[in-house]
Amino acid sequence: MDEIIPTTRPHTTVILAMSADGKIADLMRSPARFGSNADIIHLERQIAQADAVLFGNGTLAAYGTVLRVSSTELLGDREKNGKPPQPVQIVCSASGKINPTLKFFQQPVPKWLLTTFLGGQPWKRFSDHFDQVIVADDSNGVITWSEALQQLRDRDIQRLAVLGGGQLVASLIAHHAIDEFHLTVCPLILGGTTSPTPVDGEGFLSRFAPHLQLLSVQQVDDEVFLHYRVKSPH
């Protein structure tokens, strides 16, 4: 089946590594570094196919930096396809409360902020930190995803990679704005009732839950790489 790129939003793919019991971090929400080198290579390859990468402020705070495309092969592929060396890195934060001293701000990548009107105000003092500040909110100061994604599409973001966290993914799913999942199942058990999962939020009743179509399964040593397409709601 040919891939259909939406005209009102980017084609959106979630890329996450999780433990065998479905956790993307431990109970302290420590940076998830339990993936193998094969998973890092897989993540870089998926990022290299994207026009932009979207992640929440909590994810950025945990790591402090983002994964750049460094593979000569992948950089060459981007050049052949008329893309800049690095995809845009988009921080999503309704409050705009982001640590301006993070190493992220010294990385040579395009940086955008997706926020609300109030969240964007503090960054007027740090205008050199973000190349663009995208404001999309309602009267209650909540990010409106239909408008936010349309703005990204209008800026020629056709393929969007989402790297978490669970609340961000849940919001996008609730707005039917996720097309694919790339999930790496790693060989460890984290447990914990408060440990984050790929999709947090309020959850879905089973009869309304989004359904997935399995596109591929690959095993590399003790890890399993799963690729799903989100089925269209009926």
Side-chain angles (χ1 to χ4, degrees):
M1 174 184 284
D2 293 335
E3 181 182 282
I4 299 175
I5 302 295
T7 58
T8 58
R9 64 170 179 81
H11 182 92
T12 304
T13 303
V14 174
I15 310 159
L16 291 170
M18 65 183 187
S19 63
D21 59 328
K23 306 294 185 179
I24 60 173
D26 60 26
L27 76 168
M28 299 299 293
R29 295 181 178 265
S30 307
R33 304 193 189 279
F34 45 74
S36 67
N37 286 336
D39 181 55
I40 295 173
I41 292 171
H42 167 75
L43 175 59
E44 183 182 359
R45 186 168 295 278
Q46 297 305 318
I47 287 174
Q49 296 177 17
D51 298 307
V53 180
L54 177 68
F55 46 88
N57 183 30
T59 298
L60 177 61
Y63 291 91
T65 60
V66 295
L67 180 64
R68 297 173 61 238
V69 178
S70 59
S71 162
T72 302
E73 175 192 353
L74 296 177
L75 287 169
D77 288 343
R78 288 184 64 85
E79 183 178 8
K80 289 176 185 176
N81 292 323
K83 296 181 181 296
Q86 301 295 326
V88 177
Q89 301 285 339
I90 308 173
V91 187
C92 177
S93 173
S95 69
K97 295 179 179 178
I98 303 167
N99 181 355
T101 66
L102 291 173
K103 291 183 179 179
F104 165 69
F105 291 107
Q106 279 73 57
Q107 290 186 278
V109 294
K111 306 173 187 73
W112 295 2
L113 172 63
L114 173 58
T115 187
T116 61
F117 174 78
L118 290 177
Q121 294 306 300
W123 293 99
K124 292 181 177 180
R125 296 185 295 113
F126 299 100
S127 57
D128 59 330
H129 281 55
F130 287 108
D131 301 299
Q132 292 193 41
V133 176
I134 299 173
V135 173
D137 61 348
D138 60 19
S139 58
N140 296 316
V142 177
I143 290 177
T144 50
W145 283 108
S146 58
E147 179 184 352
L149 294 170
Q150 179 69 72
Q151 288 197 50
L152 294 183
R153 190 67 177 78
D154 291 344
R155 288 166 169 80
D156 205 28
I157 303 300
Q158 297 188 44
R159 299 186 64 87
L160 181 66
V162 180
L163 305 188
Q167 292 283 351
L168 173 59
V169 176
S171 295
L172 289 169
I173 290 178
H175 287 82
H176 307 292
I178 299 292
D179 299 290
E180 297 180 70
F181 281 88
H182 279 279
L183 300 174
T184 304
V185 181
C186 301
L188 78 165
I189 301 293
L190 289 175
T193 56
T194 60
S195 300
T197 69
V199 184
D200 287 334
E202 297 180 358
F204 304 95
L205 294 174
S206 59
R207 65 181 182 273
F208 299 122
H211 286 195
L212 308 177
Q213 176 189 359
L214 182 63
L215 300 181
S216 67
V217 180
Q218 181 184 11
Q219 179 181 348
V220 179
D221 295 327
D222 293 325
E223 288 180 331
V224 180
F225 295 82
L226 304 172
H227 182 197
Y228 290 99
R229 176 186 291 129
V230 180
K231 292 183 177 181
S232 299
H234 296 294

